[in-house]
Amino acid sequence: MTETKKLLLFGATGVIGRAVLAHFNTLDGWSVLSVGRTRPADISANEFISLDLQDRDACDAALGALTDITHVIYAAVYEKPGALIEGWRDPDQMTKNDQMLRNVMDPLQRSASPLEHVTLFQGSKAYGSHVEKQVPIPAKEAWPRHDHNNFYWLQEDYMRACQADAEWAFTILRPRIVFGGALGSNMNPISAIGVYAAIQRHKGEPLHYPGGLPRINQAVDTDLIAQACAWAATSPNSWNETFNIDNGDVFVWQNVWPTICEGLDMPMGENKPYFLENLLKDEADTWAKIVEAYGLRAPKEIGKVVGQSLGYTDWQMATGKDVAPNPVISSTIKIRQAGFHDCIDTEQMFRKWFGIYRRDGLLP
């Protein structure tokens, strides 16, 4: 009989965490204990710890008492309210994210849990994508650390120091632009585009492309990230290694826009640049009316649906820029050679997630 492994999942209500929870709940031999500020209705009380990761004493009490955790997936992140993009360079945000991880790992290491593996997340900002005009293509994990301040480095240095004399291992995943199913996430273009489309539908308008000039991008489906987490948890090839991860192809927003329109059952419009972030103040009442008119299961408060994802999507679409930003393309050869081969067509990903949002009554 296979011994059950127990996953402690941080950031369970976020865009990555939701997918990880759903995937691990389908796997034999695993149980999941989720951690977050507020328990969602679809997670039972005995499978959830309500916890503020910035509260060190609360973390000590709650996590230090655990005795059966074998795996940790840390998908929690602090993003500065109202200043998502600017926050990436903010020293206070870096300090908070560093301290949150310490508040988790310090009591876990002192506990009696038989810890085997920890998964941590970074992203393309590890290559300086937010501070450089051009990141060399393709970005590779073997490169020397890019010289800039980043909470990634604070967390990674702490993790490596903890692991040096421990029996557990860690894996760092660096996803490209993340797409998935989570309301209120700060970086989920699916919710942002979906709300924009619903408002356009309500106005009797086609789905105009709101972004800027064409730019080559890479996407990653959260379901693919969840599968990679399961692989990393038990694959020695992943241990104490860092991996880029994406869907396996590239995309240009303008080229996939017809597929997005199809997935939302909307006629395609023209290229009409518009800052989606303006929806927060200009169309908050419209969104509330849409929720009521269609009997949607989404919150009437638009901010609870999109978080800071509207501004994030503007940034990813290069809205308002006179020159398209240079592409950031990561190599995913390393993770494939290590044994993780799953992939998904990015257009299929868009069809899937917009179909799920509509099926679940989150969009018309």
Side-chain angles (χ1 to χ4, degrees):
M1 183 176 179
T2 303
E3 185 176 348
T4 298
K5 299 182 182 297
K6 188 160 187 176
L7 169 64
L8 187 62
L9 171 61
F10 294 90
T13 59
V15 66
I16 291 177
R18 296 294 289 182
V20 169
L21 177 61
H23 183 63
F24 274 78
N25 278 340
T26 70
L27 301 179
D28 292 335
W30 286 88
S31 65
V32 183
L33 180 61
S34 299
V35 180
R37 282 181 176 267
T38 305
R39 179 174 66 86
D42 59 348
I43 302 180
S44 65
N46 63 340
E47 296 175 331
F48 191 87
I49 298 175
S50 182
L51 193 59
D52 178 359
L53 299 187
Q54 295 185 46
D55 187 333
R56 184 172 183 84
D57 290 340
C59 289
D60 280 344
L63 305 179
L66 300 176
T67 60
D68 56 352
I69 302 302
T70 60
H71 292 73
V72 171
I73 294 179
Y74 188 84
V77 64
Y78 169 80
E79 299 287 358
K80 194 170 186 178
L84 179 70
I85 309 302
E86 298 87 344
W88 294 342
R89 305 187 196 190
D90 183 76
D92 180 62
Q93 179 167 308
M94 296 178 199
T95 299
K96 280 186 169 65
N97 278 294
D98 178 36
Q99 191 60 55
M100 285 164 57
L101 181 63
R102 292 170 184 266
N103 290 349
V104 164
M105 291 302 300
D106 284 353
L108 279 177
Q109 291 180 99
R110 292 193 300 266
S111 74
S113 285
L115 192 60
E116 297 177 17
H117 185 267
V118 179
T119 299
L120 187 65
F121 292 93
Q122 296 181 356
S124 63
K125 291 189 290 296
Y127 303 113
S129 62
H130 59 313
V131 296
E132 297 285 1
K133 288 185 177 179
Q134 177 65 71
V135 175
I137 295 174
K140 295 185 178 182
E141 303 92 334
W143 289 352
R145 178 178 288 184
H146 189 279
D147 186 17
H148 72 281
N149 293 327
N150 198 315
F151 76 82
Y152 294 167
W153 310 144
L154 300 176
Q155 290 184 335
E156 181 178 343
D157 289 346
Y158 166 74
M159 185 69 70
R160 290 186 181 278
C162 290
Q163 192 275 332
D165 298 318
E167 296 183 359
W168 50 270
F170 68 87
T171 302
I172 296 173
L173 296 178
R174 292 177 177 169
R176 285 295 289 117
I177 307 173
V178 175
F179 296 82
L183 300 185
S185 170
N186 288 323
M187 293 185 286
N188 184 15
I190 295 294
S191 294
I193 295 169
V195 165
Y196 166 63
I199 291 170
Q200 289 295 99
R201 182 193 300 273
H202 183 76
K203 293 179 173 180
E205 292 280 337
L207 191 57
H208 302 301
Y209 175 66
L213 296 169
R215 178 195 189 195
I216 299 173
N217 290 292
Q218 288 172 297
V220 60
D221 189 324
T222 53
D223 286 344
L224 195 69
I225 296 173
Q227 293 163 26
C229 287
W231 166 78
T234 58
S235 172
N237 285 348
S238 80
W239 294 349
N240 304 330
E241 296 287 351
T242 299
F243 299 101
N244 298 328
I245 181 171
D246 79 331
N247 283 345
D249 58 8
V250 295
F251 78 100
V252 174
W253 281 109
Q254 288 87 340
N255 294 352
V256 299
W257 202 249
T259 298
I260 290 172
C261 293
E262 175 190 323
L264 289 161
D265 193 24
M266 291 279 292
M268 189 170 72
E270 306 170 6
N271 290 343
K272 285 193 174 182
Y274 173 78
F275 284 100
L276 297 181
E277 192 167 25
N278 290 337
L279 296 175
L280 284 172
K281 62 179 186 296
D282 293 345
E283 303 291 355
D285 291 342
T286 304
W287 172 253
K289 291 175 183 176
I290 290 169
V291 171
E292 187 170 345
Y294 286 91
L296 299 182
R297 296 176 55 244
K300 288 185 178 181
E301 186 178 333
I302 191 171
K304 291 183 177 179
V305 180
V306 297
Q308 298 188 72
S309 290
L310 294 170
Y312 174 72
T313 304
D314 289 333
W315 187 78
Q316 290 293 358
M317 290 182 171
T319 307
K321 294 188 180 297
D322 296 329
V323 178
N326 288 315
V328 178
I329 304 297
S330 296
S331 169
T332 55
I333 294 299
K334 181 179 177 181
I335 197 170
R336 298 177 192 284
Q337 290 179 331
F340 182 76
H341 304 129
D342 291 2
C343 58
I344 184 173
D345 182 280
T346 294
E347 290 188 64
Q348 180 185 342
M349 176 198 74
F350 282 121
R351 290 190 188 97
K352 180 188 78 173
W353 281 115
F354 288 125
I356 290 172
Y357 269 54
R358 298 182 71 205
R359 181 201 68 194
D360 292 348
L362 304 176
L363 292 174

